[in-house]
Amino acid sequence: MSTATRRVRKGFNHVDEAMREALLGALESRNYYLGPENEAFEAELANSIGVRHAVAVNSGTSAMMLILRALGIGPGDEVIVPAMGFVTLAEAVAVVGATPRFADVEEQTFNLEPDQAAAAISEKTRAIVPAHKYGHPAEMGRLKALAERHGVYLLEDFCHALGAQHQGQYVGGIGAAGFVSFAGKTISVCGLGGMVTTNNDDLAQEVRLLRDHGRPRAKGQRFYEIHRVGYNLRLSELHAAVGRVQLRRIEEWNQRRRENAALYNRLFAERGLPVVTPQTLPGCTHAFLHYTLRVPEGRRDALQKFLADAGVESTVLYPQDLHLLPPYQALCGHREGDFPVSERLTREVLSLPNHPDVNPEDIQAVVDGVERFYG
């Protein structure tokens, strides 16, 4: 086996001539926000996942916050979110004055566990927000039934999973609304950006008002005609223009990620290495934004350092459980041990390079490195 160092980067920073042309065209148009590029990007993304509306905003975090505001969720309300993940979910809930209610996750997919979500429901619950973690869809059938049974909203965080499907439906179009981030995700827009998706006409209109100072911006409206107390959370025309080019390539890029993941899984299985590889459940397609291993027996950090010394970059997403972050521990009163699956997975997960520029030789080098670590 070769022991030569091969540099394998974790980031995907693809910029080509089509993106440059789109960017230059947006610059020369002198439309800097809410112009034709935004409108086309919204229509194209909505069409790609089969929903009536997509509303472009400046980030995925803003997208979730605006959905909550548009639904009237605020002080005195609770929103169920997974204990494992990025702070966005709890943050958006807290910013609108509601309280995040954490629930544990599934061991196999890292997604919100439906029975745990059910146990977290109270008379104050207004919404359940599963995140399609690392690109694998959550159990939307059970979660949708749970939300309907209790009369609460099901909102989808599909930031990792644009282009993934659950039982033949694209994620982001299954719940009452969805939201996606573009920063470093399946498409990047080469910067910050996000989108709200929904089939609800009123919700879409309310989000459009709130993102732009409460202005309707309909034809014939006056510039200072204000209908709501809103925000300045618009997406720039530059990012929308780049996003349109990238959206046309998302199926190709996601397929490369899936092929990479299949090769990783095959090589790890052939070598019998003591890591737990990600799987795709029946009826789902995985976007594989991240190829995330579980490294048991407390060896995750040592493996990550070993790979880094060999030239292989990797990522720990996410290094601490949400319910144990100081602001949310103070807000919700949780302590270590409350969500054991999430806490164990947080100590075990390691994401290996899996972007569309990763090739079979790179994957071979990564697996060689893991095999050398285990000796």
Side-chain angles (χ1 to χ4, degrees):
M1 179 199 330
S2 170
T3 59
T5 298
R6 181 186 180 91
R7 186 73 167 171
V8 186
R9 297 187 180 277
K10 62 186 179 183
F12 179 51
N13 194 28
H14 181 81
V15 179
D16 61 18
E17 190 57 35
M19 294 180 204
R20 294 186 185 96
E21 289 180 5
L23 188 61
L24 183 59
L27 280 170
E28 291 176 342
S29 75
R30 301 195 180 189
N31 289 302
Y32 298 126
Y33 57 87
L34 297 187
E37 295 293 346
N38 264 256
E39 292 177 7
F41 190 26
E42 290 175 337
E44 289 160 6
L45 191 139
N47 182 65
S48 75
I49 67 168
V51 295
R52 284 205 299 274
H53 302 283
V55 184
V57 296
N58 69 334
S59 73
T61 307
S62 297
M64 180 178 175
M65 182 190 69
L66 290 175
I67 292 171
L68 297 175
R69 272 284 316 268
L71 294 174
I73 295 174
D77 297 328
E78 293 181 351
V79 177
I80 296 172
V81 299
M84 181 184 183
F86 190 49
V87 72
T88 296
L89 298 182
E91 181 179 58
V93 173
V95 163
V96 300
T99 301
R101 188 77 183 267
F102 297 105
D104 217 340
V105 299
E106 297 176 335
E107 194 160 319
Q108 189 170 7
T109 67
F110 314 103
N111 289 324
L112 184 65
E113 206 286 316
D115 290 338
Q116 295 296 317
I121 288 179
S122 74
E123 68 280 359
K124 297 180 181 180
T125 302
R126 294 288 309 284
I128 302 169
V129 190
H132 303 299
K133 189 68 65 195
Y134 304 129
H136 194 294
E139 288 195 45
M140 294 303 291
R142 292 175 62 193
L143 290 168
K144 190 172 185 178
L146 175 66
E148 291 173 350
R149 188 161 64 248
H150 290 273
V152 302
Y153 296 108
L154 180 64
L155 309 176
E156 296 179 73
D157 171 356
F158 67 113
C159 295
H160 286 187
L162 179 60
Q165 295 184 46
H166 179 274
Q167 302 298 336
Q169 282 187 279
Y170 283 104
V171 299
I174 303 172
F179 58 95
V180 63
S181 165
F182 300 128
K185 303 303 192 299
T186 50
I187 62 174
S188 70
V189 305
C190 294
L192 296 176
M195 198 86 77
V196 172
T197 59
T198 185
N199 287 309
N200 185 313
D201 300 341
D202 293 336
L203 175 60
Q205 177 60 21
E206 190 68 14
V207 171
R208 292 184 193 279
L209 282 170
L210 291 171
R211 71 171 173 182
D212 185 32
H213 305 291
R215 297 184 294 180
R217 296 186 66 87
K219 188 174 182 179
Q221 300 283 169
R222 298 189 305 276
F223 183 78
Y224 283 109
E225 188 167 338
I226 306 297
H227 290 197
R228 299 283 187 278
V229 175
Y231 308 89
N232 179 8
L233 300 176
R234 302 164 297 197
L235 180 68
S236 82
E237 285 285 275
L238 306 181
H239 293 136
V242 173
R244 292 182 64 200
V245 176
Q246 294 177 338
L247 186 62
R248 293 195 289 269
R249 298 181 183 163
I250 190 168
E251 284 302 322
E252 174 193 348
W253 288 349
N254 283 353
Q255 181 59 28
R256 288 188 198 172
R257 292 183 175 102
R258 286 190 285 267
E259 290 170 358
N260 289 342
L263 180 55
Y264 270 125
N265 281 356
R266 180 171 66 80
L267 293 176
F268 280 124
E270 287 174 354
R271 300 187 190 187
L273 296 172
V275 295
V276 182
T277 56
Q279 304 298 318
T280 304
L281 298 185
C284 296
T285 60
H286 200 317
F288 275 111
L289 175 65
H290 300 289
Y291 179 86
T292 303
L293 293 173
R294 287 172 49 201
V295 185
E297 300 178 357
R299 305 196 71 185
R300 189 269 311 281
D301 294 345
L303 173 58
Q304 185 178 32
K305 183 179 184 306
F306 184 91
L307 291 175
D309 291 343
V312 174
E313 298 179 354
S314 61
T315 308
V316 175
L317 295 166
Y318 299 92
Q320 189 169 354
D321 297 277
L322 296 178
H323 63 286
L324 299 179
L325 293 172
Y328 301 100
Q329 196 169 28
L331 181 63
C332 304
H334 289 295
R335 59 187 178 184
E336 192 169 353
D338 283 353
F339 303 107
V341 177
S342 175
E343 292 171 27
R344 183 174 70 256
L345 294 176
T346 297
R347 296 189 295 268
E348 293 181 351
V349 292
L350 184 66
S351 297
L352 302 178
N354 190 42
H355 52 80
D357 284 345
V358 169
N359 59 45
E361 291 75 22
D362 295 327
I363 293 170
Q364 181 76 44
V366 174
V367 176
D368 284 350
V370 176
E371 186 171 34
R372 289 197 301 273
F373 172 77
Y374 281 105

